[in-house]
Amino acid sequence: MAYDYDLFVIGAGSGGVRASRLAAMTGAKVLVAEEYRAGGTCVVRGCIPKKYMVYASEFGRTFEHMKGYGWKVEGASYDHNMFMDKMHREIDRLSGIYARNLRNAGAELVDDRAEIVDAHTVRLVKAGRTVTADKILVATGGSPAMPKDVEGIELAVTSNEMFHLDKIPEHIVIVGGGYIAVEFAGIMSGLGAKVCMVIRKETVLRGFDEDVRTHVHEELKRKGVKVISSASPVRIEKEGEKFRVHLSNGESAAGDKVLFAVGRDPHTKGLGLDKAGVKLDEHGAVVVDENSRTSVPSIFAIGDVTNRLNLTPVAIREGQAFAQTQFMNRPTSFDHADVPHAVFAQPPVGVVGLSEAEARKKYGVVDIYKTRFRPMKDMLTGDEERVLMKIVVRAEDERVVGVHIVGPDAPEIIQAVAIAVKLGASKADFDRTCALHPSIAEELVTMREKFVPPELKPV
Ligand code: NDP
């Protein structure tokens, strides 16, 4: 049967665009539908604007640090409107590039909502027409989750709105202790807001190595962020110009903004996946095999909508593997192991591989090397911030199975370390690599002593 298109892609985010471009460049007829803006979450309301906001928020501390080096900075001030304007112009530029690159590769891009009708048919809602395609790729990403059991939840905002604040709040309450909550706590605090975080657990960043969690938690508090642990929001109410969040432990916190950053839901609602018989998991994510194929052979899914590893570069690589397999005759599946990742906290976190707990569970005996130190730069600034470095080694063959850094440039450092970990480097390989002095990263190759918990040290 002849279809209108070889490939119909729903969503022009990082993953969808990579898959569409590669497929179109083979000569395939590709149609991409995007209901919001090309570039998706990463470009429009995620990684890119977030990182610009992190940069903006770091300058305050830089001014403080400069004093330690003899610089005088007088009359420095932050113009929020000017920054927002420049940031959004940059987002517009990047979104335009995404759309242009798609078209330059030969794909068609339509500004429309797409809903699946059956295994080979998609309806374009605005245009009011249906088109058929040999293959359909769902790359719709995710959207902020909001709890349904919190009274007054409509008074809170999500990360989406944080990129359009007309001013920096005096006080902000941030609910959640994951990536987004921790990143915005640093951003808001750096830009002058008083921040109160509300987390369900004892420490932030569940899923990360325990030492990383403790370190980030302590650094947040040291920078003046109030953290209310082991509490959940129950009710939000308006109190004059502010909002008060009532908590399960009887406490409450007030702010002129309340941000909920409590996870993201895969964007599958209303897509018609049920009509085509595509299987979803209990979180509403599309279930796929290692080739990103769903339970319907002609329908594929990549990126956050599959809830595998919700990171932009992973969506890109899944999109690339899909196009290589389906259109370039190069069967490829993306290896989700040892993907480096970062939390742009202040100081930032960079991680590759397993946490100590995960490694113990998987391999039994592991050796730990870790160090905490004050970076050289801060000897003159007076800043008490500490760096954490931790290496997790599988004892049976000394292979490095996890590296964790919290400190300046941790994401930059971990990207390079990830190459060594992916190559299967051993602790001995780290040790025989010569240090680069003076640097923070040199500590990674100079840790000689295995960590022995104090209770196991001989007296
Ligand atoms: P996360 O899954 O990282 O964290 C969610 C947080 O919300 C957890 O602390 C969780 O607590 C808490 N939580 C969940 N439900 C509730 C509730 N009902 N009431 C109170 N607290 C609740 O989600 P994020 O929203 O921060 O980020 C979503 C995803 O986006 C990340 O997992 C990541 O994949 C991606 N991302 C990546 C970034 C990066 O690469 N730098 C940056 C931003 C996002 P608990 O621990 O108790 O479950």
Side-chain angles (χ1 to χ4, degrees):
M1 174 178 167
Y3 296 106
D4 300 330
Y5 291 90
D6 297 310
L7 174 65
F8 191 114
V9 180
I10 311 180
S14 308
V17 166
R18 173 61 63 92
S20 310
R21 287 177 60 200
L22 288 179
M25 279 153 67
T26 67
K29 205 171 168 212
V30 180
L31 179 62
V32 187
E34 168 59 56
E35 65 177 336
Y36 188 53
R37 295 178 67 188
T41 301
C42 173
V43 171
V44 179
R45 43 194 180 190
C47 323
I48 300 292
K50 180 272 306 291
K51 186 97 187 252
Y52 277 120
M53 290 180 84
V54 169
Y55 284 137
S57 68
E58 285 172 340
F59 285 109
R61 272 179 73 225
T62 304
F63 286 137
E64 282 304 308
H65 288 172
M66 286 164 74
K67 292 180 193 160
Y69 283 81
W71 287 82
K72 276 203 180 66
V73 188
E74 273 147 25
S77 62
Y78 165 69
D79 182 338
H80 183 65
N81 290 335
M82 187 231 193
F83 163 60
M84 280 283 156
D85 186 49
K86 284 194 82 170
M87 180 178 89
H88 281 288
R89 270 192 276 147
E90 176 59 9
I91 294 169
D92 293 346
R93 189 184 72 86
L94 291 172
S95 176
I97 289 176
Y98 268 69
R100 213 165 38 247
N101 283 349
L102 266 178
R103 292 185 172 119
N104 287 346
E108 259 178 76
L109 172 65
V110 289
D111 165 22
D112 209 331
R113 177 174 173 77
E115 291 175 4
I116 295 173
V117 176
D118 63 33
H120 292 282
T121 313
V122 183
R123 191 165 72 89
L124 287 168
V125 177
K126 277 194 221 165
R129 65 184 172 104
T130 56
V131 295
T132 58
D134 183 27
K135 294 186 175 78
I136 297 169
L137 178 66
V138 182
T140 47
S143 53
M146 278 302 220
K148 296 193 177 45
D149 54 354
V150 176
E151 203 185 311
I153 188 71
E154 66 285 354
L155 300 172
V157 299
T158 70
S159 55
N160 288 350
E161 288 75 48
M162 293 300 287
F163 301 115
H164 298 275
L165 291 180
D166 52 4
K167 62 178 195 303
I168 300 301
E170 253 177 68
H171 292 89
I172 182 165
V173 180
I174 301 181
V175 179
Y179 280 83
I180 296 179
V182 166
E183 292 180 341
F184 271 112
I187 292 169
M188 287 292 110
S189 167
L191 290 174
K194 290 261 172 293
V195 181
C196 175
M197 290 182 82
V198 177
I199 61 172
R200 293 197 298 197
K201 300 280 184 313
E202 270 299 303
T203 38
V204 294
L205 294 182
R206 180 172 55 85
F208 282 74
D209 186 276
E210 287 301 321
D211 283 319
V212 170
R213 296 180 69 183
T214 311
H215 197 93
V216 172
H217 197 95
E218 290 308 314
E219 285 294 342
L220 277 165
K221 289 205 293 191
R222 211 179 49 74
K223 296 205 172 68
V225 172
K226 181 178 175 191
V227 187
I228 302 180
S229 298
S230 312
S232 297
V234 178
R235 189 173 87 251
I236 309 172
E237 62 190 14
K238 197 142 195 319
E239 193 178 83
E241 291 302 299
K242 291 201 183 300
F243 303 100
R244 183 162 293 279
V245 186
H246 296 272
L247 307 175
S248 54
N249 64 356
E251 287 185 54
S252 70
D256 24 330
K257 274 277 176 245
V258 177
L259 164 64
F260 267 65
V262 295
R264 292 176 63 84
D265 291 331
H267 198 147
T268 46
K269 278 202 196 91
L271 271 185
L273 290 159
D274 47 335
K275 285 184 203 140
V278 173
K279 206 169 147 210
L280 306 183
D281 71 11
E282 69 276 20
H283 305 294
V286 181
V287 177
V288 288
D289 67 11
E290 69 280 8
N291 290 317
S292 297
R293 194 188 287 269
T294 72
S295 54
V296 177
S298 58
I299 303 182
F300 298 77
I302 53 163
D304 289 10
V305 75
T306 64
N307 199 20
R308 283 176 280 184
L309 198 47
N310 300 335
L311 300 168
T312 294
V314 171
I316 291 173
R317 296 295 286 267
E318 288 169 356
Q320 182 170 318
F322 160 79
Q324 286 173 336
T325 307
Q326 302 300 328
F327 292 91
M328 298 162 81
N329 205 18
R330 274 168 52 196
T332 314
S333 60
F334 176 64
D335 173 11
H336 290 83
D338 297 330
V339 171
H341 50 283
V343 184
F344 291 92
Q346 300 185 25
V349 179
V351 175
V352 62
L354 305 177
S355 67
E356 180 178 343
E358 288 167 338
R360 284 194 195 287
K361 196 164 168 217
K362 189 163 179 192
Y363 300 121
V365 189
V366 296
D367 295 329
I368 301 299
Y369 298 81
K370 62 181 172 185
T371 176
R372 277 180 99 242
F373 58 95
R374 204 167 161 211
M376 178 184 152
K377 185 181 169 194
D378 287 336
M379 299 305 167
L380 302 197
T381 66
D383 197 321
E384 288 292 331
E385 187 175 288
R386 293 289 190 277
V387 174
L388 168 76
M389 287 196 180
K390 178 168 180 178
I391 304 178
V392 182
V393 178
R394 184 165 68 190
E396 65 181 55
D397 58 358
E398 291 233 306
R399 183 171 170 169
V400 173
V401 293
V403 180
H404 307 261
I405 306 175
V406 188
D409 300 322
E412 306 290 340
I413 299 169
I414 212 75
Q415 175 68 85
V417 174
I419 302 171
V421 173
K422 196 80 187 164
L423 280 170
S426 66
K427 179 64 172 56
D429 293 324
F430 274 54
D431 293 345
R432 69 193 174 85
T433 304
C434 188
L436 186 154
H437 186 71
S439 67
I440 287 174
E442 69 181 305
E443 296 288 331
L444 283 172
V445 296
T446 54
M447 277 188 254
R448 296 284 185 264
E449 295 279 314
K450 276 182 207 167
F451 173 76
V452 181
E455 65 274 17
L456 296 183
K457 275 204 174 134
V459 274

